[in-house]
């Protein structure tokens, strides 16, 4: 474990690093790769807070307290900001970027996904911990058009002078998002964050999405379905969530998400209302 007395890092960052078991030396590329994998395995993606209609602060201490200490989960503007702040504090060359999510096949979606770009050894990588169950679990180079393999998963980057489009080629073909490579400030991210968890038509305001990725196991709650995909056996198990008690059980067993009974009931009622429409 890190000794707070022996480091200049802020206590909330030290606590975060101590929650993970990273063996690679700080400053190395492998440290970043381990950090990405272990963050995805330890801290779940969740839209539960975004469904509550309350403002979610991105101020560092409040953000780390909500997502890391209290284990309430979060989405891209929370998880990827945490990753950015940690890597920045450790001396890595990082910057935020915004992307258009392309999962619905539309090319004119707003830029409502935050990513972290890392410059290391003259190459630029995405360090993605906030895209839910489809997240790559390793850094992806975005300087040129290329294809990357990780286990059964194959990803493609299509690079232009102004953007990098990241797609999943296997086990299914799916365009994930298009990263805008222009300069982005925290204020730009704040605008996207505000829309994404406050606008009445925003996806995460209306849909329950919870996910975690660990050692080839991908766990997902999408509205009233729980999906467990085992990448080692190619077996997928789907279960219907028909009551809030089962929802609580799944969150405890597979996601380590802490949510109040009130918040779970709000989320479950929204899901039930949408299904009934």
């Amino acid at each position: 474990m890190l000794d707070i007395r022996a480091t200049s890092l802020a206590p909330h960052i030290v606590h975060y690093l101590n929650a993970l078991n990273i063996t690679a030396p700080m400053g190395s590329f492998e440290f970043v790769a381990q950090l990405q994998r272990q963050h995805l395995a330890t801290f779940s993606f969740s839209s539960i807070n975004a469904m509550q209609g309350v403002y979610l602060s991105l101020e560092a201490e409040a953000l780390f307290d909500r997502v890391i200490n209290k284990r309430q989960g979060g989405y891209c503007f929370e998880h990827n900001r945490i990753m950015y702040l940690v890597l920045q504090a450790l001396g890595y060359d990082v910057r935020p970027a915004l992307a258009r999510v392309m999962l619905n096949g539309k090319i004119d979606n707003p830029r409502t996904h935050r990513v972290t770009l890392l410059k290391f050894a003259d190459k630029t990588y995405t360090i993605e911990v906030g895209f839910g169950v489809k997240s790559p679990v390793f850094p992806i180079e975005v300087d040129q058009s290329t294809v990357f393999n990780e286990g059964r998963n194959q990803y493609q980057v299509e690079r232009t002078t102004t953007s990098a489009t990241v797609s999943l080629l296997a086990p299914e073909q799916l365009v994930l998002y298009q990263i805008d490579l222009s300069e982005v400030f925290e204020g730009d991210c704040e605008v996207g964050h505000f829309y994404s968890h406050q606008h009445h038509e925003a996806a995460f305001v209306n849909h329950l999405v919870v996910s975690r990725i660990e050692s080839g196991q991908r766990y997902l709650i999408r509205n009233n379905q729980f999906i467990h995909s085992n990448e080692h056996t190619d077996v997928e198990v789907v279960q219907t969530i028909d009551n809030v008690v089962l929802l609580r059980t799944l969150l405890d067993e597979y996601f380590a998400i802490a949510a109040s009974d009130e918040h779970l009931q709000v989320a479950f009622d929204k899901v039930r209302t949408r299904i009934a429409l």
Side-chain angles (χ1 to χ4, degrees), residues 123-150:
K123 294 182 179 180
T124 306
Y125 301 86
T126 61
I127 311 301
E128 178 63 81
V129 294
F131 198 67
V133 78
K134 300 298 183 184
S135 285
V137 299
F138 59 98
I140 290 182
E141 184 188 344
V142 294
D143 287 323
Q144 57 187 336
S145 296
T146 188
V147 173
F148 298 88
N149 293 290
E150 188 275 323

Side-chain angles (χ1 to χ4, degrees), residues 100-105 131 158 165-169 172-178:
R100 301 183 193 276
V101 175
M102 311 285 276
L103 294 173
N104 62 4
F131 198 67
E158 297 174 277
T165 301
V166 179
S167 299
L168 183 64
L169 297 182
E172 61 181 314
Q173 293 189 353
L174 195 64
V175 181
L176 302 182
Y177 50 76
Q178 183 184 74

Side-chain angles (χ1 to χ4, degrees), residues 36-102:
Q36 180 176 351
R37 288 194 299 271
Q38 292 197 26
H39 182 109
L40 288 167
T42 307
F43 303 109
S44 293
F45 183 101
S46 173
S47 67
I48 293 173
N49 278 345
M51 301 178 81
Q52 306 304 315
V54 297
Y55 177 70
L56 301 173
S57 173
L58 294 180
E59 185 274 327
E61 291 190 11
L63 174 61
F64 277 75
D65 183 54
R66 184 172 67 247
V67 178
I68 307 304
N69 298 346
K70 295 179 179 177
R71 296 295 184 101
Q72 293 181 1
Y75 72 133
C76 67
F77 286 101
E78 298 168 290
H79 281 292
N80 282 333
R81 174 162 164 78
I82 286 172
M83 181 58 63
Y84 166 78
L85 291 172
V86 169
L87 292 176
Q88 182 188 55
L90 294 175
Y92 287 92
D93 183 1
V94 288
R95 68 181 180 94
L98 290 173
R100 301 183 193 276
V101 175
M102 311 285 276

Side-chain angles (χ1 to χ4, degrees), residues 268-277:
F268 185 77
D269 287 346
K270 279 192 173 184
V271 169
R272 188 165 51 187
T273 297
R274 293 191 67 82
I275 291 172
L277 292 177

Side-chain angles (χ1 to χ4, degrees), residues 80-243:
N80 282 333
R81 174 162 164 78
I82 286 172
M83 181 58 63
Y84 166 78
L85 291 172
V86 169
L87 292 176
Q88 182 188 55
L90 294 175
Y92 287 92
D93 183 1
V94 288
R95 68 181 180 94
L98 290 173
R100 301 183 193 276
V101 175
M102 311 285 276
L103 294 173
N104 62 4
K106 296 182 179 179
I107 63 173
D108 61 346
N109 292 322
R111 297 184 182 96
T112 54
H113 179 58
R114 175 180 179 144
V115 302
T116 299
L117 297 180
L118 166 73
K119 191 78 171 182
F120 194 94
D122 297 323
K123 294 182 179 180
T124 306
Y125 301 86
T126 61
I127 311 301
E128 178 63 81
V129 294
F131 198 67
V133 78
K134 300 298 183 184
S135 285
V137 299
F138 59 98
I140 290 182
E141 184 188 344
V142 294
D143 287 323
Q144 57 187 336
S145 296
T146 188
V147 173
F148 298 88
N149 293 290
E150 188 275 323
R152 72 167 188 168
N153 301 299
Q154 186 176 67
Y155 295 90
Q156 179 184 56
V157 172
E158 297 174 277
R159 174 65 193 262
T160 71
T161 57
T162 60
S163 68
T165 301
V166 179
S167 299
L168 183 64
L169 297 182
E172 61 181 314
Q173 293 189 353
L174 195 64
V175 181
L176 302 182
Y177 50 76
Q178 183 184 74
I179 305 169
D180 182 348
L181 298 173
S182 62
E183 186 174 21
V184 166
F185 300 98
E186 286 296 336
D188 300 315
C189 295
E190 180 70 51
V191 171
H193 170 59
F194 190 85
Y195 169 86
S196 297
H197 81 291
Q198 292 289 296
H199 196 279
H200 68 281
E201 293 184 352
F204 294 133
V205 171
N206 294 288
H207 294 277
L208 176 61
V209 182
V210 186
S211 70
R212 191 173 67 86
I213 307 170
E214 180 180 21
S215 302
Q217 310 295 321
R218 296 189 181 235
Y219 306 101
L220 170 66
I221 291 175
R222 182 187 293 124
N223 290 322
N224 71 328
Q225 286 194 324
F226 169 65
I227 304 168
H228 173 201
S229 301
N230 186 325
E231 296 180 346
H232 304 298
T233 63
D234 288 330
V235 172
E236 183 173 277
V237 177
V238 180
Q239 180 178 3
T240 298
I241 305 170
D242 55 9
N243 61 77

